[in-house]
Amino acid sequence: AITKTTGPASLIRVRKGLVEVSVTSPESIEEVPGVIAYLSTALASEGINVLQVMRCYQDTILVLEEDDLMSAFRVLRRALD
């Protein structure tokens, strides 16, 4: 799909089997240090590798292997309760 639009020469790498997990936080999250470290540590402690992370205002977006999705939901739910 993307290779048809941009052409294969403009791509560095194509990787399949990835998912995006988005965590939406209250506005006050901007004043809390270590949020990404906390979430990453919780996931890593369960053997879940975060391939990419992006923070945009109230949203933290994590890119993971598809096989880790359900485990990641359980870990994040426990970490955020």
Side-chain angles (χ1 to χ4, degrees), residues 12-57:
I12 296 170
R13 181 175 169 191
V14 174
R15 189 155 176 199
K16 296 181 179 184
L18 302 179
V19 293
E20 171 190 307
V21 176
S22 182
V23 178
T24 302
S25 305
E27 284 185 40
S28 59
I29 200 71
E30 291 182 351
E31 305 301 321
V32 179
V35 173
I36 292 175
Y38 176 74
L39 296 175
S40 296
T41 300
L43 292 165
S45 70
E46 296 293 325
I48 299 169
N49 186 32
V50 177
L51 299 167
Q52 283 290 332
V53 100
M54 184 173 78
R55 216 32 231 292
C56 185
Y57 187 48

Side-chain angles (χ1 to χ4, degrees), residues 62-76:
L62 308 160
V63 177
L64 316 167
E65 296 281 347
E66 188 173 14
D67 291 343
D68 290 331
L69 180 61
M70 296 314 292
S71 296
F73 277 134
R74 284 191 297 276
V75 169
L76 292 172

